[in-house]
Amino acid sequence: MSIAIRTTLLRTTVVAAATALTAAIFTLPAQALDAQWCKDVHIRFFVGGAEGDAFGTIVYNGAKQAAADLGPKVDYIFSQWDAEKMVQQLREAVAVKPQGIAMMGHPGDAAIMPLADEAHKEGIKMMYQNVPVPKVTAAFGGGYIGAQQEQQGRALGAEAFKLGKLKAGDKAIMIGPFENESRGARERGTVAALKEAGVEVIQLSSPPSGEWASDPNLAIPVLTAALLNNPDVKAVGYPGGQMLGNVATYMQAAGRKPGDIFNFGFDTSPQIVEGFKGGWVQLTADQQPFLQGYLPILSLCQQVVLGLAPMNVDTGAGFVTPENYEIVAELAKQALR
């Protein structure tokens, strides 16, 4: 066989091999991303609140949609917003050894760190939602889906000062889990912004077990007493959609009418939409909880199946006011926004 013929055959073989390799490479993503491409993955997902909880329901709906779209087996964990309960449930989740866990960050870095270490050693992929745990993710990886707590809190305080037409020397009440290092950063940020503007802020600490989030009516005696003892309060800030959606009940219990007090807080829900409609609620910061359900599951599937890096997404979407609440009203009523 001549050199020319052998050279031609060699080139043909190399080209054919390269073509076959290229075809194989390009068929891999197509096969991986067929419908239900994550069906062999087991995930434990922390919803945060109780079943039927206003905020937690939107998170749950986002997670359920992701599971329906992608196909993983998902165990949904409800915690009544109790940080200690979340830690115990995370310990149990790691022991089960799923391929991925989507964890609420409420317990904070110190409480989650040793369990994140265990998960890392077991090869379990981690995502965190709603409350960031930067020390944990720096040490053991994982992504975060949610608003940046302190930044969003400060932004809300500044917006409340502006839209509420507050001035230096005015008095406001802010409710929140102030003693929780991670979760309380948001409300501490709101307090800081208001104080920097010269507002006198009365801080009402919510129970660490999450009781007021699970049942907002439990806060009626405390908030009513604070309003009766401080009749000159101009604004009240609430730490979540559960309580903000209950504003009409609080104000009526304290003998106040719509518009007497500038009520503001976080999240959207059917109850908050009704609060805007009735003139009870004047401002809320939207953090798109549907994304906090959907994206952690999407990211875990991508990490396990495709080897991609974890997502980090700030879901803070700005402010809802009496002027624009109708834009999100229908989706809020469907527990999607």
Side-chain angles (χ1 to χ4, degrees):
M1 183 183 294
S2 70
I3 294 176
I5 293 174
R6 276 185 291 187
T7 301
T8 301
L9 286 174
L10 180 60
R11 284 175 180 167
T12 302
T13 302
V14 170
V15 170
T19 302
L21 178 60
T22 301
I25 291 172
F26 278 101
T27 57
L28 282 175
Q31 292 171 354
L33 296 178
D34 283 344
Q36 306 290 289
W37 56 271
C38 191
K39 61 180 170 46
D40 296 324
V41 175
H42 179 203
I43 293 170
R44 284 218 162 182
F45 183 90
F46 282 71
V47 178
E51 293 187 61
D53 168 86
F55 184 88
T57 295
I58 306 175
V59 175
Y60 177 66
N61 286 342
K64 290 282 285 185
Q65 188 62 56
D69 290 347
L70 309 174
K73 178 184 182 296
V74 181
D75 305 324
Y76 299 98
I77 310 299
F78 297 89
S79 311
Q80 290 76 43
W81 301 115
D82 186 331
E84 291 186 8
K85 186 172 185 178
M86 288 181 190
V87 172
Q88 178 57 35
Q89 291 170 328
L90 178 58
R91 185 174 293 109
E92 295 166 359
V94 172
V96 171
K97 299 181 182 179
Q99 285 142 298
I101 298 174
M103 172 66 181
M104 287 280 171
H106 295 63
D109 284 295
I112 292 176
M113 188 74 76
L115 296 173
D117 186 7
E118 287 185 35
H120 181 72
K121 290 174 181 175
E122 294 290 346
I124 300 170
K125 303 298 185 183
M126 297 292 298
M127 286 293 293
Y128 301 92
Q129 59 264 14
N130 197 247
V131 177
V133 281
K135 294 179 182 177
V136 168
T137 53
F140 300 111
Y144 172 65
I145 309 295
Q148 294 299 319
Q149 295 284 297
E150 183 179 3
Q151 293 174 20
Q152 190 182 45
R154 278 187 164 273
L156 179 66
E159 193 74 3
F161 182 82
K162 181 177 70 175
L163 295 187
K165 298 179 180 178
L166 303 177
K167 58 184 184 299
D170 282 345
K171 188 180 293 186
I173 290 173
M174 188 66 206
I175 305 164
F178 299 108
E179 73 291 338
N180 185 314
E181 179 184 0
S182 297
R183 171 60 187 84
R186 187 173 69 179
E187 287 71 21
R188 291 196 300 271
T190 303
V191 169
L194 289 172
K195 285 186 174 181
E196 287 166 8
V199 176
E200 179 185 345
V201 183
I202 300 164
Q203 295 180 220
L204 297 182
S205 292
S206 54
S209 58
E211 294 171 8
W212 290 0
S214 296
D215 184 357
N217 286 329
L218 294 176
I220 292 174
V222 176
L223 182 53
T224 300
L227 289 171
L228 292 176
N229 290 333
N230 299 277
D232 53 343
V233 161
K234 299 290 181 64
V236 177
Y238 302 84
Q242 303 90 340
M243 294 188 71
L244 187 62
N246 208 40
V247 160
T249 300
Y250 299 141
M251 295 297 105
Q252 289 167 352
R256 301 301 181 93
K257 298 177 181 178
D260 285 353
I261 288 179
F262 186 89
N263 289 294
F264 67 98
F266 301 89
D267 309 329
T268 56
S269 70
Q271 295 82 6
I272 292 172
V273 167
E274 290 303 311
F276 275 116
K277 190 179 297 184
W280 298 104
V281 176
Q282 284 71 42
L283 172 67
T284 188
D286 181 15
Q287 58 174 326
Q288 302 183 101
F290 186 88
L291 293 181
Q292 296 180 22
Y294 196 101
L295 293 182
I297 289 180
L298 173 60
S299 182
L300 287 171
C301 284
Q302 290 176 337
Q303 290 176 63
V304 174
V305 178
L306 302 177
L308 298 183
M311 287 184 179
N312 287 281
V313 178
D314 185 343
T315 65
F319 301 108
V320 180
T321 68
E323 285 68 43
N324 67 10
Y325 80 91
E326 292 181 349
I327 296 173
V328 302
E330 193 55 40
L331 288 174
K333 290 177 182 177
Q334 297 175 43
L336 299 174
R337 183 69 183 270

